[in-house]
Amino acid sequence: MKRPTVQDVAREAGVSPSTVSRALHTRGYASPDVRDRVRAAAEKIGYVLDHNARNLRSRTSTSIGVLISDLRNPFYADLAAGIEEELRAAEYQMVLVNDNADPAEEMRAAETLLAMRVPGVIVTPVTADCPRMLQDNGVHVVCADRELRRSGGDVVLSDNKAGARELTEHLIGLGHSRIGLLIDETKWSTGAGRLAGFRAAHVDADLTLDENLIAYTSFDAEAARRTTRDLLGQQPTAIISANNVLAQGALAELKDRRLKIPRQISLAAYDDVPWMSLVEPALTTVDQHTVELGRSCARLLLARIREELPTRRRIVRVAPRLIIRGSTGPAPRA
Amino acid sequence: MKRPTVQDVAREAGVSPSTVSRALHTRGYASPDVRDRVRAAAEKIGYVLDHNARNLRSRTSTSIGVLISDLRNPFYADLAAGIEEELRAAEYQMVLVNDNADPAEEMRAAETLLAMRVPGVIVTPVTADCPRMLQDNGVHVVCADRELRRSGGDVVLSDNKAGARELTEHLIGLGHSRIGLLIDETKWSTGAGRLAGFRAAHVDADLTLDENLIAYTSFDAEAARRTTRDLLGQQPTAIISANNVLAQGALAELKDRRLKIPRQISLAAYDDVPWMSLVEPALTTVDQHTVELGRSCARLLLARIREELPTRRRIVRVAPRLIIRGSTGPAPRA
DNA sequence: CTGTTAGCGCCTTCAC
DNA sequence: GTGAAGGCGCTAACAG
């Protein structure tokens, strides 16, 4: 299956290959009539540029690597959708890889992207090694959603501390003083920020936080459910789950116990995903503007690639928004 | 940022560039000791293959194009996740493009993929032009989820007719004789199949289907909600929504009306997505095995690319599975 | 089993 | 404003 090349277009238009190249892409270097003739010729014989040849010649590529943990989680899907939208508008392509939050997979993917000579990668990093290795090889990196110590690269984050603080304040404002926090990780900036916001709200309100109300679990709905069961032993009047996956488990457990939400117990989540407005009562949660987060990542990366930015590392913090729905209400009288 | 090339590895290992190439990739064409030496050298100087150069030379690529309508819809996200999983295992990469179900975007994306010289594309086609154009240019195409008249290419489908029939039979078995169908499109094989299954179940049960019970709407939850309102005027005792988006609208309307599900009316969906098991009552629906659908697409495409298949067009039909949950129950006494 | 040679298709000098 | 020449990094074809 042989496809037409610039040579063929050149012959058809009666000009040289270099003129074809200029007429088709470089701006201003060809007279208008030649340009038209070349374009017509290209169209006529069905010429399609060869990215591989162009990339080889110019040592770049318009493919951008996107490394995420789990496309089936709406958070990552939205993030990827935002990234893709922005890349497409700029005529870049998105090479999407699921690394399942596995360091080895992540590293393998990074190597593949190196081989593709992508100019940049957006990653929700599992370890700092991956972003670092990419940068050591001259690839621009934007870390999305979390910041790792010594990962380097630009970062786009949701302001987790502010979001969690606002959410916690909302509950405190409703009279809750025993608020349980269901959380999986606090090593990454994501969980750490949410925990910090949770604590900060307590401090601001002069409330002593019973450490037993912080329930550590693993990133999986079933585990969250069991942890919620334990947490209920601490007699909280409200529960915050640190992300959308944990919220599923928490909700399942509360429903299973036939606890009236929010009359007997309030439930709030972090990271708004569609199902939270479909359940009854709908869940109070923090919207991370995930799609916009993705768009920001892409814009930042593209600016880097075009060298429009000062070398200094940039950290973009996207303000989240508290969405109050029916699942949170006044604390029950003791 | 100059990266090491085969030349550099060759010098380091004391062999020729072609031997490096063979030792690194082609199997069996280099003696074990040379192979080891070359690998060690490559590792030592941090050599990474250049896909662009290889693709140019060998006129192939290991990137596969995936064209879908909307990554934020869990159906497409799951499909993409299944595809990516299988491609990654085979050391292929996924270039993912959202076309927003817009024919122009779809065509633009197809041209980009042509420029990338991808050997194959998986697409949820909006028009037949896109798959056809790709095939005319020697690209293997697998159409996912729907079959378009004269699109050509292999197809991987959920057996929509069987699924809808089984779901309808389930309702008929519960005594429902006025079942409303909320559906958006019937031009594509997807909607057409579901409608056909719905009709077939009625025929099998010797039930005359009141055509007013088929409510056409557009692909959007809000529209579905309004259509549901109208449909309720026809006094159905059960409603089937033809996909996950329409189901949101239908559920919202029923809840808004304070109709007891399933006591006053049964609700069932098509295409199982996570929220359907979180709402109360959980929705009876048909699981399309979407991730597996995606895997099938990728496997089929890869087999094509490796020329392991007879030229004849292949149509894979994945059997869906009825999931009965709490939202469907006996028809209320008239 | 290994080396030499010759491009893949493009674009960027450099001349004119 | 346009053409000629060369080479990006790799591997297929051909010798040896």
Side-chain angles (χ1 to χ4, degrees):
Chain A
M1 190 81 211
K2 187 101 171 80
R3 304 247 259 270
T5 73
V6 275
Q7 298 278 357
D8 302 320
V9 179
R11 201 173 311 119
E12 181 72 26
V15 293
S16 76
S18 21
T19 300
V20 171
S21 174
R22 281 187 297 245
L24 252 29
H25 316 291
T26 327
R27 23 135 108 275
Y29 268 86
S31 62
D33 57 323
V34 167
R35 180 178 299 258
D36 290 348
R37 204 142 43 87
V38 169
R39 298 229 160 135
E43 176 84 14
K44 182 181 166 203
I45 67 174
Y47 168 77
V48 179
L49 172 72
D50 187 324
H51 268 141
N52 293 313
R54 176 203 281 235
N55 293 346
L56 175 58
R57 175 65 238 245
S58 53
R59 271 165 276 275
T60 46
S61 148
T62 52
S63 292
I64 296 294
V66 175
L67 244 54
I68 59 175
S69 299
D70 176 18
L71 193 51
R72 302 191 58 194
N73 180 327
F75 171 75
Y76 293 104
D78 284 4
L79 189 72
I83 293 170
E84 196 274 344
E85 181 187 329
E86 202 74 33
L87 291 183
R88 181 155 39 82
E91 316 218 59
Y92 276 73
Q93 293 80 47
M94 173 173 80
V95 177
L96 186 65
V97 185
N98 251 336
D99 59 31
N100 301 316
D102 170 357
E105 282 290 336
E106 188 186 39
M107 213 54 176
R108 244 171 48 94
E111 260 164 67
T112 304
L113 294 171
L114 238 42
M116 296 178 79
R117 298 302 189 259
V118 298
V121 169
I122 297 171
V123 55
T124 55
V126 180
T127 68
D129 295 346
C130 167
R132 257 220 316 280
M133 180 273 244
L134 288 166
Q135 287 168 299
D136 289 348
N137 283 276
V139 177
H140 293 291
V141 174
V142 170
C143 292
D145 174 59
R146 44 209 193 228
E147 192 188 357
L148 298 190
R149 225 172 276 297
R150 278 170 304 141
S151 71
D154 295 317
V155 190
V156 176
L157 300 166
S158 169
D159 191 338
N160 293 297
K161 183 170 176 184
R165 173 187 235 143
E166 202 183 343
L167 176 56
T168 310
E169 279 168 357
H170 160 67
L171 288 168
I172 293 174
L174 286 168
H176 295 273
S177 56
R178 290 192 62 77
I179 306 169
L181 176 66
L182 189 63
I183 193 162
D184 53 338
E185 59 79 26
T186 52
K187 289 172 324 209
W188 293 343
S189 63
T190 319
R194 291 175 197 176
L195 177 56
F198 178 71
R199 288 191 189 280
H202 281 79
V203 171
D204 291 352
D206 275 327
L207 263 179
T208 337
L209 169 59
D210 179 351
E211 295 290 327
N212 291 319
L213 287 169
I214 301 175
Y216 296 94
T217 186
S218 56
F219 186 64
D220 130 42
E222 202 36 57
R225 183 173 181 154
R226 288 190 302 269
T227 309
T228 302
R229 195 171 309 153
D230 299 342
L231 179 57
L232 287 171
Q234 300 294 329
Q235 310 284 340
T237 60
I239 292 180
I240 293 176
S241 77
N243 62 52
N244 79 61
V245 173
L246 305 187
Q248 283 182 39
L251 179 62
E253 180 62 19
L254 299 190
K255 291 218 162 171
D256 208 53
R257 296 250 190 155
R258 303 253 180 281
L259 288 168
K260 297 289 174 216
I261 306 172
R263 229 184 45 234
Q264 295 174 279
I265 190 164
S266 285
L267 178 63
Y270 202 104
D271 186 16
D272 186 38
V273 297
W275 67 261
M276 294 182 183
S277 44
L278 296 170
V279 295
E280 207 151 354
L283 255 57
T284 291
T285 187
V286 176
D287 179 5
Q288 306 198 66
H289 305 296
T290 314
V291 176
E292 180 53 31
L293 218 59
R295 286 195 207 101
S296 289
C297 291
R299 279 196 299 266
L300 182 52
L301 183 60
L302 291 174
R304 263 302 168 222
I305 290 169
R306 295 171 183 145
E307 301 184 322
E308 298 167 349
L309 261 37
T311 28
R312 183 181 108 262
R313 180 175 195 211
R314 176 160 301 191
I315 299 189
V316 175
R317 225 171 278 275
V318 178
R321 184 173 56 103
L322 174 64
I323 303 180
I324 298 173
R325 301 204 185 96
S327 68
T328 49
R333 295 299 179 98
Chain B
M1 191 81 210
K2 186 99 172 80
R3 302 246 260 270
T5 72
V6 274
Q7 298 279 357
D8 301 319
V9 178
R11 199 172 315 115
E12 181 73 26
V15 293
S16 76
S18 25
T19 299
V20 170
S21 174
R22 281 186 297 243
L24 252 29
H25 316 291
T26 327
R27 24 137 108 276
Y29 268 87
S31 62
D33 56 325
V34 167
R35 178 178 300 257
D36 290 347
R37 206 140 43 88
V38 169
R39 298 229 159 135
E43 175 84 14
K44 182 182 167 202
I45 66 174
Y47 168 77
V48 180
L49 172 72
D50 187 324
H51 268 141
N52 293 313
R54 169 196 282 215
N55 292 346
L56 176 58
R57 177 63 240 241
S58 53
R59 8 24 300 268
T60 45
S61 151
T62 51
S63 292
I64 296 293
V66 175
L67 247 53
I68 58 174
S69 298
D70 176 19
L71 193 51
R72 303 190 59 194
N73 180 327
F75 172 75
Y76 293 105
D78 283 4
L79 189 71
I83 293 170
E84 195 272 343
E85 179 186 331
E86 202 74 36
L87 290 183
R88 181 156 37 84
E91 315 218 56
Y92 276 73
Q93 293 80 48
M94 173 172 82
V95 176
L96 186 65
V97 185
N98 250 338
D99 58 32
N100 301 316
D102 171 357
E105 281 291 336
E106 186 186 38
M107 213 55 176
R108 244 172 48 93
E111 260 164 65
T112 303
L113 294 171
L114 238 42
M116 295 179 80
R117 300 298 191 260
V118 299
V121 169
I122 297 171
V123 55
T124 54
V126 180
T127 67
D129 295 346
C130 168
R132 257 219 316 280
M133 179 273 242
L134 287 166
Q135 287 168 300
D136 289 348
N137 282 276
V139 177
H140 294 290
V141 175
V142 170
C143 292
D145 175 59
R146 44 210 193 225
E147 191 186 359
L148 298 189
R149 225 171 279 296
R150 279 170 302 141
S151 71
D154 295 316
V155 191
V156 176
L157 301 166
S158 168
D159 191 337
N160 292 296
K161 183 168 176 187
R165 173 188 236 143
E166 201 184 345
L167 177 56
T168 310
E169 279 168 358
H170 160 65
L171 288 167
I172 293 174
L174 286 167
H176 296 273
S177 55
R178 289 192 64 75
I179 305 169
L181 176 67
L182 188 63
I183 192 164
D184 55 337
E185 58 77 29
T186 52
K187 291 171 325 213
W188 293 343
S189 63
T190 319
R194 291 174 196 176
L195 177 56
F198 179 71
R199 288 191 189 283
H202 281 80
V203 171
D204 291 351
D206 275 328
L207 264 178
T208 337
L209 169 60
D210 178 350
E211 294 291 326
N212 291 319
L213 286 169
I214 301 176
Y216 295 92
T217 187
S218 56
F219 186 64
D220 128 45
E222 203 35 57
R225 183 174 181 152
R226 290 190 300 271
T227 309
T228 302
R229 195 172 308 154
D230 299 342
L231 178 57
L232 287 171
Q234 301 293 329
Q235 310 285 339
T237 58
I239 293 181
I240 293 176
S241 76
N243 61 54
N244 79 61
V245 172
L246 306 186
Q248 284 183 37
L251 178 62
E253 181 62 20
L254 299 190
K255 290 216 163 174
D256 208 53
R257 297 248 188 158
R258 305 253 181 278
L259 287 169
K260 296 290 174 214
I261 305 171
R263 232 186 40 234
Q264 295 175 281
I265 189 165
S266 284
L267 177 63
Y270 202 104
D271 187 14
D272 186 38
V273 297
W275 67 260
M276 294 182 183
S277 42
L278 296 170
V279 296
E280 206 152 354
L283 257 57
T284 291
T285 187
V286 177
D287 178 6
Q288 305 197 67
H289 304 297
T290 313
V291 177
E292 180 54 31
L293 218 59
R295 286 194 207 103
S296 289
C297 291
R299 278 196 299 266
L300 182 51
L301 183 60
L302 291 174
R304 260 307 165 220
I305 289 168
R306 296 170 182 144
E307 301 185 321
E308 299 167 349
L309 261 38
T311 29
R312 177 178 115 265
R313 180 176 197 211
R314 177 161 303 189
I315 300 189
V316 175
R317 225 171 277 275
V318 177
R321 185 173 56 103
L322 174 63
I323 302 181
I324 298 173
R325 301 203 184 98
S327 71
T328 49
R333 295 298 181 99

